[in-house]
Amino acid sequence: MSLEISQITKTYTTRRGSTEALLPTTFTVDPGEFVSLVGPSGCGKSTTLYMVAGIEAISSGSIRLNGQEITRPGRDRGMVFQGYSLMPWLNVEENVKFSHQLAANIKQEGTMSQVLSHYAYADRLIEIVGLADFRKSLPRELSGGMKQRVAIARALANRPQILLMDEPFGALDAQMREEMQELMLLLSIHERTTVLFVTHDVEEALYLSSRVLVYSPRPGRIIEELVVPFDRDRLLDIKLTPEFVQLKRRLLHLLHGSSSQDRASILMRLQDPANYSPINR
Amino acid sequence: MELFRKATLMLRPRHVLGGSAKAVGIALGFILFALAWSGLSRNYAAEGKAVLFPSPQAVWAVAMDYMGVGPKTAVKVLEARASAPSPAAADFAEDAVRAEAREDLKILGLDLKVSFRRVCIAFLLAALVGVPLGLFIGAYHWFESILQPVTEFIRYVPVPALVPLLIVVFGIDEAPKLMLIFIGTVFQIILMTSDEVRRVPMDLVHLCYTLGGKSSEVVFKVMLPAALPGIFDALRLSNGWAWTWLIVAELVAANEGMGYRIVRFQRYLDTDKLFFYLIILGLIGLLLDLLFRLLNRSLFRWAATDKR
């Protein structure tokens, strides 16, 4: 059971011609792995994820899950979006159990005991993510972090073989983001979830992942593969250790190789007498 | 000075008014309206044409007459009693006058009933046809490409221009009136419903697919419920249109109904009664609007937004 991505590309064709968004990309995700894709915006990391989800068409190459070619979205790949995308008319419990009322899952579930265990699992997930007291709350009554907990529980309740997450914590404030990272890490360890995770936050990628793939700016391709050398079960404090900081610095250098140049040019523009402004002088 | 500062603060854009300030504003609006109305009517009265443009007081008097407690009824009763030869005959004469006054109210009731029936039937039909078509146009691009351009084309044909054709095709019974209201509202409903469905976030659609949903489940379990408050609001707006087309239909060919009665009043220069009917039409619109809003708010609590 694994995800095999081989030589996939993405080309957008417009009236002016075609632009390459993603150069041939190949990697695999093994069961139980937590793989992060990091890179600057527009590098094609989200595109990769959407192609795995079956939402975006691949221009060439192939994606296989357990040897099966992926052509469309399916229940074997759960998705968590940055914008939560909860059904606003359903409460927390109904959102988490939304997949249970879809025909495909009713057929799959089969016997009564299996259906019941699905329901029981969904209930357990609501408790695990810490929303037991908010079962009957509507999404509009929840904070961003709580909404994303619902979205994660909903995706897991369907027992996907791989969980796809597109910058899930990008809209949260720094404190909530760390809280959610810790929850996600422990959840993935205990539920043995295979995760493909997209983020532009290097620290987040290092903390959560067993492996990090670094993308180049557009047109994207993988320029570095880093196996994170820490124990899977790690504390948030690990972010402060020299080893972690060193890895973080390495990744940041890969991502922003030109940042010192940016600094120089900003300073040049600031000190240019032509741009002299008399405000506050 | 403090009060002045508060008042100028209230005038700023997007400043939310408190309950009492809002009530003052509403009252002010109606007072200005009444002042403008009575000013206009005084102009007509000065030229001796009061009958062309009645004053608010005159219309109020007519409303009271409809209830059987107005001045005209009272005068008629007095006159009838005075000319009666005996007390028994006076009672009889008064009864006759009051029965006549009640006749007006009965006619109003009949007009209301007939007009309501026409709007209800035609509007329900339009909703039953328009909402599903709008849903499919908003959900399926292939359906949209077939139906949207055609409906857009028909929508731009001015509805009153269809009246002669409808009379030729459907005669002068109920059918042409219902058809006019139907045609006048169904395309609006289709358009607004499809827009609401298109506005459902793509992420929700993707999400339903990734949970194993079929296309029909995406349409009926995600798109429809997500768009329902908006669709309901579209129905509120097109209900207003339904009443407009009703009056158009009744102005042209009818034997009863609000629009028909208004033409009758015009013919006999009963402008005070005409105004009374106009006010009733306005009130009906206002009440239906309010009803739709209340229903929307209670049915779709999840969609409620804070007006800030």
Side-chain angles (χ1 to χ4, degrees):
Chain A
M1 183 179 102
S2 66
L3 179 73
E4 294 161 45
I5 292 159
S6 65
Q7 300 292 315
I8 57 164
T9 65
K10 185 70 188 182
T11 316
Y12 290 105
T13 322
T14 56
R15 256 172 293 163
R16 287 198 197 144
S18 57
T19 29
E20 300 219 290
L22 188 67
L23 297 174
T25 297
T26 302
F27 65 91
T28 60
V29 180
D30 289 321
E33 260 197 309
F34 196 123
V35 176
S36 285
L37 311 179
V38 295
S41 53
C43 69
K45 58 190 191 296
S46 284
T47 307
T48 307
L49 193 80
Y50 277 72
M51 288 194 285
V52 173
I55 293 167
E56 188 111 38
I58 43 178
S59 300
S60 70
S62 78
I63 302 173
R64 286 164 183 279
L65 185 63
N66 303 334
Q68 280 242 311
E69 184 99 22
I70 281 168
T71 52
R72 50 165 68 201
R75 58 195 298 282
D76 47 0
R77 283 149 290 145
M79 186 89 193
V80 175
F81 298 92
Q82 179 178 5
Y84 322 124
S85 60
L86 301 183
M87 315 290 173
W89 61 95
L90 301 178
N91 64 29
V92 167
E93 189 172 354
E94 291 163 336
N95 260 295
V96 173
K97 291 176 179 171
F98 181 78
S99 62
H100 296 331
Q101 52 161 304
L102 298 173
N105 304 312
I106 293 167
K107 268 184 228 143
Q108 294 265 344
E109 276 166 357
T111 66
M112 197 63 191
S113 66
Q114 278 170 307
V115 174
L116 278 178
S117 77
H118 263 77
Y119 261 80
Y121 183 55
D123 281 326
R124 205 164 73 81
L125 277 167
I126 293 174
E127 264 164 46
I128 290 172
V129 299
L131 289 173
D133 294 338
F134 297 92
R135 278 172 196 277
K136 302 295 174 206
S137 301
L138 286 171
R140 58 187 286 254
E141 299 158 342
L142 303 178
S143 70
M146 288 156 97
K147 283 183 199 170
Q148 204 54 291
R149 285 162 205 254
V150 179
I152 292 168
R154 174 179 60 186
L156 289 178
N158 209 25
R159 296 181 195 266
Q161 294 182 17
I162 184 167
L163 188 62
L164 310 173
M165 307 183 84
D166 184 24
E167 307 218 12
F169 311 137
L172 305 177
D173 63 68
Q175 218 169 340
M176 180 53 73
R177 199 177 311 157
E178 290 216 318
E179 218 174 286
M180 292 298 290
Q181 285 166 3
E182 191 159 37
L183 172 74
M184 198 57 228
L185 180 80
L186 295 174
L187 199 57
S188 67
I189 293 169
H190 283 262
E191 301 295 302
R192 292 192 193 83
T193 325
T194 312
V195 184
L196 185 58
F197 192 96
V198 165
T199 179
H200 59 253
D201 183 345
V202 166
E203 194 180 272
E204 181 171 87
L206 276 176
Y207 171 68
L208 285 172
S209 317
S210 50
R211 196 149 53 97
V212 179
L213 303 174
V214 184
Y215 277 63
S216 72
R218 178 167 236 175
R221 66 195 169 81
I222 295 174
I223 50 173
E224 175 86 11
E225 177 179 353
L226 176 90
V227 178
V228 182
F230 311 119
D231 208 20
R232 275 295 282 139
D233 195 353
R234 31 190 109 135
L235 303 173
L236 265 174
D237 269 356
I238 200 173
K239 289 183 179 180
L240 305 173
T241 61
E243 295 92 330
F244 190 96
V245 173
Q246 203 181 353
L247 278 177
K248 184 179 163 186
R249 181 172 294 142
R250 206 181 114 205
L251 288 186
L252 281 175
H253 269 280
L254 277 169
L255 283 179
H256 317 289
S258 58
S259 64
S260 57
Q261 233 172 332
D262 288 344
R263 182 185 154 86
S265 69
I266 291 170
L267 278 176
M268 209 173 76
R269 273 175 277 148
L270 275 171
Q271 288 157 356
D272 186 348
N275 295 333
Y276 173 77
S277 82
I279 298 168
N280 289 341
R281 301 277 170 114
Chain B
M1 208 55 219
E2 176 67 14
L3 200 72
F4 179 74
R5 201 189 58 82
K6 256 189 177 169
T8 50
L9 208 66
M10 244 191 256
L11 299 176
R12 299 193 318 170
R14 294 275 164 93
H15 184 86
V16 181
L17 294 181
S20 52
K22 204 172 167 188
V24 168
I26 292 170
L28 193 67
F30 277 101
I31 289 169
L32 286 176
F33 175 71
L35 280 179
W37 177 4
S38 74
L40 259 175
S41 70
R42 214 165 292 159
N43 255 7
Y44 275 86
E47 293 173 30
K49 294 175 187 166
V51 70
L52 294 186
F53 205 93
S55 63
Q57 299 92 305
V59 175
W60 178 252
V62 163
M64 290 296 105
D65 273 322
Y66 264 90
M67 301 299 139
V69 292
K72 265 188 201 161
T73 321
V75 170
K76 275 186 195 162
V77 165
L78 283 179
E79 280 171 357
R81 290 197 80 98
S83 58
S86 68
D91 285 350
F92 187 76
E94 183 179 344
D95 281 351
V97 169
R98 292 211 182 274
E100 202 183 314
R102 270 200 297 277
E103 201 59 34
D104 269 355
L105 191 64
K106 223 181 264 175
I107 289 173
L108 172 63
L110 184 74
D111 287 338
L112 278 175
K113 203 179 89 179
V114 168
S115 291
F116 255 106
R117 212 178 72 95
R118 284 174 183 153
V119 168
C120 283
I121 293 175
F123 180 71
L124 274 179
L125 275 177
L128 279 177
V129 173
V131 170
L133 284 182
L135 175 64
F136 290 135
I137 288 178
Y140 296 103
H141 283 294
W142 61 267
F143 203 81
E144 177 186 359
S145 70
I146 294 172
L147 263 188
Q148 178 99 338
V150 179
T151 56
E152 285 290 280
F153 167 70
I154 302 175
R155 202 169 67 86
Y156 276 107
V157 176
V159 177
L162 294 174
V163 172
L165 180 70
L166 288 174
I167 290 177
V168 169
V169 176
F170 293 104
I172 51 167
D173 288 338
E174 287 298 286
K177 300 173 189 72
L178 297 182
M179 275 311 285
L180 188 81
I181 301 171
F182 178 81
I183 294 174
T185 51
V186 75
F187 294 105
Q188 313 285 341
I189 294 177
I190 291 176
L191 176 85
M192 290 192 280
T193 303
S194 62
D195 272 349
E196 287 299 332
V197 174
R198 269 186 218 109
R199 219 169 287 149
V200 174
M202 201 57 197
D203 275 0
L204 285 188
V205 174
H206 287 326
L207 185 106
C208 185
Y209 280 129
T210 62
L211 290 176
K214 299 183 297 185
S215 329
S216 63
E217 286 172 323
V218 168
V219 174
F220 290 106
K221 291 193 169 171
V222 175
M223 288 176 151
L224 181 60
L228 219 45
I231 293 173
F232 214 79
D233 210 46
L235 290 181
R236 174 177 69 85
L237 291 174
S238 43
N239 186 263
W241 280 100
W243 281 87
T244 306
W245 302 131
L246 167 88
I247 301 300
V248 171
E250 289 182 343
L251 286 179
V252 179
N255 297 317
E256 56 207 352
M258 301 296 283
Y260 163 75
R261 203 64 60 190
I262 284 174
V263 177
R264 285 276 298 209
F265 290 150
Q266 176 216 12
R267 206 163 288 162
Y268 295 104
L269 269 184
D270 280 334
T271 41
D272 43 2
K273 287 185 179 172
L274 196 154
F275 265 68
F276 178 58
Y277 264 55
L278 290 183
I279 289 172
I280 290 185
L281 280 173
L283 283 178
I284 290 173
L286 203 66
L287 275 176
L288 284 177
D289 203 79
L290 207 69
L291 202 73
F292 265 101
R293 279 177 202 272
L294 281 178
L295 255 175
N296 200 340
R297 212 176 300 165
S298 63
L299 283 177
F300 309 112
R301 298 266 298 278
W302 58 266
T305 45
D306 305 317
K307 264 198 178 169
R308 290 255 161 194

